[in-house]
Amino acid sequence: MGRQWRQRPIACQSCRRRKIRCSRQFPCSNCTSRGIRCVQFYEPLAPEPEPEENDSGETKSGNVSNVEIQARLDRLESWITGLGPGSGPSTNRIEIPLSGHSHAQPLSPPLSSTVQHLSEDALWFGGKFLCKKAKCIPPDAGFLDVGISYHLSPIRLIKKPYSIVQDATSSLGPLATGCREMCLTLPLYQETCLILSTFIEECAILSPIFHVPSLLVSIQSIYASVQQQTPIDREDLLLLMSIIASVTYVCSPDDDVSKLFSNHLEANTQCATWVAASFALSDEVKRRGQSSILCLQGQNILFKVSSYIEGSSVRTRSLISTSIAMARDLGLHRIDLPGNKADSIGLASGMEMEIARRLWWDLVIIDWLLALFPGSHEGVYTIHPRHMAVRKPSIIRDGNDATPSPQEHDLQSDVSYFLERIRLAEQGRTYIDRCPISHANTDAYYQETLQYDARLEQYQQELPPFFSINKLYERPPSQTQENPSLIVQRIQINCMVYVIRCFLHLQYLSLSSIDPKYAPSRASCFACASHIVRLHREVKSQYPWIISRLKATTFLRSLILASAVFLLDVCSGTEIRDLARERPDMLDAWRFMSDLQEDSNLVEQFFEFASQMLRKYGVSETIVAGLAAQRAGHLETERVSREMQDVAETYTDGGDKQMGVGSMDMDQRWQTLDADFDLKTMSWDNVLWGFDAILM
């Protein structure tokens, strides 16, 4: 679609050069005050004399009035761009008279409805919705400003939700503004309603940082702006794009959203493109210095989806840093400071105050838990508990006021899981404070590790009854009476504990064979790995219908971590005579991962890494054959994955090809590991790259 030339006058040349606001009344106030000549961006034509006739009685074309010239230009531009009613074929062209009329007249016949529908079908490949396009370009935009144009399309046809058009108006020559334009493609309204419903039901249960009515209003405002062809707030767009990325990531075969695509794998493949679009909007919001609750919510979702796809990369960690800075600019870190009022930080109600508290504490949880894992962020957190004055999250009732009684914190509610995550993060921060970086790899450091492991075990035992792991192993008379969201939260909180404990001791596991003082680490690792396999065994037997809802949790990655513990033990030279009898949990883990291989490319990469390890350390063929037998019968899944690879390349073509764990070439990974491939010294944190994202 073309661009309609703005009807309002633009800034003069002097104001545009100085990048100041112009009054757009010539001469403008800035030029008048400076005593300089005010030159319009396009110099107005000098007044023309009245039309004169030549000797033959014909009117000279050079004496056409400005009004008629403007009418001709408007008509020509409308005809070229196809936006005007006269965008039909050349046979319908109507000449604009050069005289006899003092004003331009509507001269174009309406386009045939048949031609209009054919144009729509050809443009959107069978789409059923006429794309509405509006532009959000500031009138005094400078060279680096980015306008936003948007249109609608069925989500299945959106191969790239956004694109940047550099110098979008350069075709206008001297009339060009030099702006960049971001072109966004949004799903149809009915599709967005389905996506939003799925997000509220499936994704928001682990991060209750949304007030559903406010979320609905925010999304509805986008399509209201589309209908009225008015600018859309970038914060709303960022939130919507992040929600779509989250839903397409967790889409499963039985999900209603999968009906919008040919299958759920196509929806999963689209996730990377929506993540890229969300990052582009996030960068635009940051460049403009915008900050709001909506921005924080959108970046929170984007961080978690991106972490599950590509691990703790630089850009995912930068989202948290930016979000923390944005939250401080909003004053969320002192929201409950004595004497502080809601209106002083731009919050109008108690409900908004509560959402702000939850957003801040979610940032605190991520910041403190990230510091537990290896990498540049290991042992370092940004938010100090003494530098904040924020109460713990409370219950949001039907009204705006959210003031619960103290007893409600001990009852099952929408914040019960959130409060337990906070408690787990607080214990992690305490451990980091007791183990500074300078004391790493010392005996005192290891003793603190053992004490922290004991506190984690006690924490798990003290979980509320509805989160207890024993509750999962019980077989109630009617399993359908239990809330599925509660089951997901119960699985997630216990998996988080097992994963943290495994990571604490993984670096000491291989050392236990040469130094008895590290024997507790081996025992703790094996206990947690066995608990993880048992957890998967129970879920598969009792709650198979909920497995598809666990993709955005630690469920699958905890199984890979447990398998890594067993693999390291086998490669360390432990004598195993009967694999089925001595390592039944290892065989079950291999089989469960094969069942879930379709849901994550991490499984395929772990199997490839495991085969390299087994060959390198000369593990007996009997053990290798026993492990390989657990993958038998899953060749069909691998074939489907290979077929979907072509679809993935279609969606990521021209986009960000660094998305996903698979972006790193496997040969490069082996070369990197070969540099330090001794089991006694190698860093398994590099092997399990990206696992720090599973606690979010």
Side-chain angles (χ1 to χ4, degrees), residues 186 192 219 222-223 236-245:
L186 307 178
T192 300
I219 301 303
I222 294 178
Y223 287 88
D236 293 331
L237 285 172
L238 173 59
L239 181 58
L240 174 60
M241 293 289 185
S242 301
I243 288 176
I244 297 175

Side-chain angles (χ1 to χ4, degrees), residues 243-452:
I243 288 176
I244 297 175
S246 177
V247 172
T248 52
Y249 174 75
V250 301
C251 186
S252 60
D254 300 330
D255 198 339
D256 290 337
V257 175
S258 64
K259 300 176 183 178
L260 303 177
F261 303 86
S262 59
N263 53 51
H264 72 287
L265 295 177
E266 185 180 9
N268 299 153
T269 304
Q270 258 203 23
C271 173
T273 63
W274 293 104
V275 169
S278 302
F279 269 109
L281 278 170
S282 176
D283 292 340
E284 176 65 12
V285 167
K286 288 185 289 187
R287 189 186 68 81
R288 289 174 169 268
Q290 295 176 277
S291 58
S292 66
I293 297 296
L294 291 177
C295 288
L296 289 176
Q297 291 173 328
Q299 293 191 158
N300 183 282
I301 301 171
L302 177 59
F303 168 79
K304 293 172 182 177
V305 178
S306 178
S307 296
Y308 276 101
I309 293 179
E310 61 185 42
S312 182
S313 62
V314 174
R315 69 173 185 174
T316 55
R317 294 198 305 271
S318 68
L319 276 176
I320 290 302
S321 301
T322 303
S323 297
I324 292 174
M326 186 182 296
R328 284 178 173 145
D329 287 340
L330 292 173
L332 302 191
H333 64 298
R334 55 175 65 194
I335 193 172
D336 292 314
L337 194 66
N340 201 10
K341 297 182 180 180
D343 54 0
S344 63
I345 55 177
L347 302 177
S349 63
M351 181 273 296
E352 293 182 358
M353 293 275 286
E354 178 58 26
I355 292 297
R357 291 190 191 96
R358 295 187 181 191
L359 279 168
W360 175 259
W361 274 108
D362 200 67
L363 291 173
V364 171
I365 293 170
I366 295 173
D367 183 40
W368 292 352
L369 288 181
L370 274 178
L372 290 173
F373 291 91
S376 59
H377 50 275
E378 181 182 9
V380 180
Y381 57 85
T382 303
I383 303 175
H384 196 281
R386 294 185 179 180
H387 300 164
M388 52 184 272
V390 186
R391 296 200 305 264
K392 298 290 178 65
S394 305
I395 299 173
I396 296 182
R397 295 194 177 93
D398 295 335
N400 290 336
D401 191 9
T403 307
S405 62
Q407 293 77 13
E408 287 179 310
H409 286 283
D410 300 327
L411 302 176
Q412 181 182 345
S413 66
D414 63 328
V415 295
S416 298
Y417 170 77
F418 202 31
L419 293 174
E420 292 303 325
R421 283 182 65 210
I422 294 176
R423 195 158 67 94
L424 182 62
E426 288 176 333
Q427 290 193 4
R429 180 193 55 79
T430 302
Y431 167 69
I432 293 171
D433 290 342
R434 293 182 177 180
C435 298
I437 299 177
S438 57
H439 294 174
N441 301 323
T442 61
D443 291 340
Y445 187 96
Y446 183 66
Q447 292 302 318
E448 287 291 344
T449 300
L450 295 179
Q451 295 177 14
Y452 180 43

Side-chain angles (χ1 to χ4, degrees), residues 459-477:
Y459 163 86
Q460 192 172 17
Q461 295 173 356
E462 295 175 350
L463 285 172
F466 44 85
F467 286 147
S468 173
I469 190 65
N470 297 326
K471 185 75 173 178
L472 192 67
Y473 300 147
E474 297 175 358
R475 287 174 171 79

